[in-house]
Amino acid sequence: MIKKGLGTTAIHGGDQEGDDIIAPIYQTAIFKHPNGRQIRGRDLKYSREDNPTVNELEKKMTALEGGEDCLAFSSGMAAISTLLLSRTRQGDTIVTSKEVYGATLILMRSLEKFGLKVKCVLNDELEGEIDSSTRIVFVESITNPTLNVPDIKGIAEACRRKGATLAVDNTFATPINFRPLEVGAEYVIHSATKYLGGHNDAIAGVLIGPREGINDAWEWRRNLGGSLDPFAAFLVIRGLKTLKLRVEEQNKKAQEIAEYLEQHRRVNTVHYPGLESSPCHEMAKELMKGFGGVVSFELGVGESVIKFLGGLRLIKTAPSLGGAETLITHPASSSHKNISPEERRELGITDGLVRLSVGLEDTEDLISDLEEALAIA
Ligand code: PLP
């Protein structure tokens, strides 16, 4: 088989002779039992277990991340929770970066009530915390919202030595910029709601990993019930066709905007791994082909942020990222509001921090919107 580029794989990955060019939507909950034999294993029967449109997305994501198998879920959080429940048992230790999406951190901590031990540490401390009691290590390849890039190779090596499983949330990087399995991770997760879907119109998640582990997770998915709807799967498949184009364009725009913000007198600090001034720049250059489409930056505290957000016209204040529309959030009062102020401080999430997900509008229009809002901040 000819090795295909990622642009081709996003469109044709998993295609088989006789497949339709455009994946049909199997808008059905049920499938007829096979004639003349008993139903077996993953024979199609009920869409909470399997659905051909969802399976199509799973084949594409397996190919894009270079894994053995994939499951698609009703959200990124369903993918994360199913992985954690399927891979751990009472008494195990989960070591997680604290620099992950707020809901992920809250989920991990809530698992303590089932007898799991959860160690939450900064990215730089992860390697040192992994020991033989560690079942699973969880990290984001570009962290939210301060855009740090952990040493995934080093963490993967420590996991290998201690027999722990490394799971990487690759939502911010996407397989276009980085493929965690190539540097030793065992599982990759995405909120497909973000770049994979790419149009802010579907909630979905995917989990890619070794065949055996994915089989276990399949049992958990069908019992927990976080399966993906076929129409949402169709939307993500459609989004994937332009993934490479979009991500490369968003990398470029985010770099230009980060450089613009860095020289602006009203902006205190800019977090973007593509900036030479970023403490993660060297690590990002070593690991990644591109630095992503999200830029975070700090304004003065208090009124300044409110005035700035209120002054934006084109850029909308809304959650999420990775779509065609440029969106901005204030993490301290949204994604990270349920985390204590001390911990927010430790994570660098100040009250003046805003996170910009650069979309696909013209860069000059985005900069002129930022310019006008910064003038009144
Ligand atoms: N992982 C990351 C990095 C995220 O940013 C998010 C959501 O913002 C999630 C996971 C959760 O994904 P979903 O909202 O699709 O459940």
Side-chain angles (χ1 to χ4, degrees):
M1 166 109 159
I2 310 164
K3 193 167 181 304
K4 304 253 175 24
L6 290 175
T8 310
T9 305
I11 299 167
H12 293 294
D15 279 1
Q16 276 165 12
E17 197 58 40
D19 276 358
D20 291 301
I21 294 174
I22 305 301
I25 306 172
Y26 282 80
Q27 193 62 54
T28 174
I30 50 168
F31 301 91
K32 193 167 77 62
H33 284 197
N35 283 333
R37 70 164 173 83
Q38 291 263 303
I39 199 126
R40 288 195 288 259
R42 282 181 69 171
D43 278 346
L44 280 176
K45 41 192 175 304
Y46 192 49
S47 285
R48 175 156 49 73
E49 295 187 351
D50 275 306
N51 174 286
T53 316
V54 177
N55 293 155
E56 197 60 37
L57 169 62
E58 293 168 341
K59 283 191 270 174
K60 290 202 187 318
M61 283 315 303
T62 301
L64 267 176
E65 284 290 5
E68 285 181 9
D69 207 349
C70 167
L71 291 177
F73 291 85
S74 55
S75 67
M77 289 314 299
I80 294 170
S81 51
T82 305
L83 173 72
L84 295 176
L85 291 170
S86 69
R87 296 307 300 163
T88 54
R89 60 186 69 232
Q90 198 178 21
D92 283 347
T93 302
I94 299 177
V95 177
T96 182
S97 163
K98 281 184 185 183
E99 302 174 57
V100 293
Y101 176 56
T104 305
L105 199 57
I106 290 165
L107 167 71
M108 303 262 189
R109 286 177 168 156
S110 66
L111 293 177
E112 288 185 323
K113 77 170 184 176
F114 299 115
L116 288 168
K117 195 161 167 228
V118 182
K119 285 194 207 162
C120 304
V121 296
L122 295 172
N123 284 339
D124 290 345
E125 298 163 347
L126 273 173
E127 253 185 85
E129 290 294 332
I130 302 166
D131 60 28
S132 50
S133 73
T134 310
R135 172 72 62 174
I136 192 156
V137 176
F138 193 95
V139 70
E140 290 177 6
S141 46
I142 301 181
T143 64
N144 178 29
T146 45
L147 308 171
N148 288 324
V149 177
D151 175 8
I152 303 226
K153 265 191 201 166
I155 298 167
E157 182 49 32
C159 286
R160 199 193 52 75
R161 280 197 308 270
K162 301 289 180 189
T165 293
L166 175 60
V168 176
D169 182 331
N170 201 31
T171 300
F172 275 53
T174 82
I176 303 301
N177 287 331
F178 178 55
R179 302 212 305 166
L181 301 180
E182 285 177 353
V183 298
E186 221 172 308
Y187 289 91
V188 179
I189 290 145
H190 286 270
S191 166
T193 313
K194 313 297 190 304
Y195 291 98
L196 304 183
H199 293 76
N200 285 323
D201 54 10
I203 300 275
V206 289
L207 169 69
I208 301 103
R211 190 153 293 117
E212 213 178 302
I214 293 292
N215 279 342
D216 286 348
W218 182 82
E219 292 287 350
W220 280 86
R221 183 183 68 175
R222 76 163 160 168
N223 294 329
L224 290 169
S227 321
L228 184 61
D229 177 78
F231 184 59
F234 171 83
L235 289 175
V236 179
I237 292 168
R238 186 157 84 155
L240 283 182
K241 294 184 191 197
T242 54
L243 179 71
K244 185 162 183 259
L245 267 180
R246 286 184 286 106
V247 168
E248 287 179 350
E249 188 64 15
Q250 281 161 312
N251 287 342
K252 200 161 111 230
K253 288 178 188 298
Q255 181 77 36
E256 285 169 18
I257 290 174
E259 286 170 11
Y260 155 77
L261 289 167
E262 197 174 37
Q263 53 70 45
H264 200 289
R265 68 188 171 81
R266 291 253 160 102
V267 176
N268 296 340
T269 313
V270 182
H271 304 271
Y272 185 66
L275 289 176
E276 279 180 25
S277 59
S278 161
C280 304
H281 186 58
E282 289 308 314
M283 181 58 68
K285 267 200 317 197
E286 186 189 327
L287 292 176
M288 301 191 173
K289 291 206 195 98
F291 305 116
V294 181
V295 180
S296 294
F297 56 100
E298 283 184 42
L299 300 168
V301 285
E303 281 294 284
S304 207
V305 174
I306 297 163
K307 279 198 205 145
F308 166 71
L309 294 176
L312 292 166
R313 294 284 167 264
L314 180 61
I315 301 169
K316 303 290 185 295
T317 304
S320 208
L321 60 123
E325 299 79 13
T326 298
L327 302 177
I328 197 158
T329 62
H330 179 234
S333 65
S334 55
S335 57
H336 289 73
K337 77 167 184 294
N338 293 326
I339 287 170
S340 70
E342 298 73 49
E343 206 161 23
R344 280 205 298 270
R345 216 167 302 124
E346 189 189 6
L347 297 174
I349 304 170
T350 61
D351 288 347
L353 186 79
V354 289
R355 185 195 77 186
L356 184 74
S357 163
V358 178
L360 292 167
E361 301 91 341
D362 295 307
T363 310
E364 311 80 77
D365 295 334
L366 294 171
I367 289 182
S368 100
D369 199 29
L370 290 166
E371 183 77 27
E372 281 176 33
L374 283 168
I376 58 165

